Amino acid sequence: MDAMTRPETYAARGQARTVRQQVYARGGCAMCVHRLEGWGLTACETLGRTFPRCIHTPGAQFELDQSTVERRE
């Protein structure tokens, strides 16, 4: 059984909230695995798609790049 204790669940929920805030603050595409970077801009590699839309449409969807998450300690 992989159930977490109540303190672990509370901490995980707080960490997820922090990462979600970072994603929305940076625009989403900057933290995605499928991003293209150039000329100081970050965009989706699939033409015509942007961050909130790519979550709900078929094809390459938003995948968080763990290396872009800013750690607070």
Side-chain angles (χ1 to χ4, degrees), residues 1 3 10 14 17 26 29 34-37 40 42 45 49-50 57 59-62 70:
M1 189 165 136
Y10 182 76
R17 185 180 302 118
R26 293 181 59 190
C29 290
H34 305 291
R35 70 183 178 273
L36 291 175
E37 296 177 349
T42 304
E45 65 184 14
R49 293 178 61 175
T50 56
T57 57
Q61 294 188 344
F62 176 80
E70 298 172 3

Side-chain angles (χ1 to χ4, degrees), residues 4 7-22 64 69-72:
M4 294 189 294
E8 290 171 337
T9 303
Y10 182 76
R13 198 176 320 147
Q15 291 169 349
R17 185 180 302 118
T18 302
V19 171
R20 193 168 39 251
Q21 288 172 349
Q22 288 180 19
L64 181 65
V69 176
E70 298 172 3
R71 309 241 189 269
R72 293 188 303 161

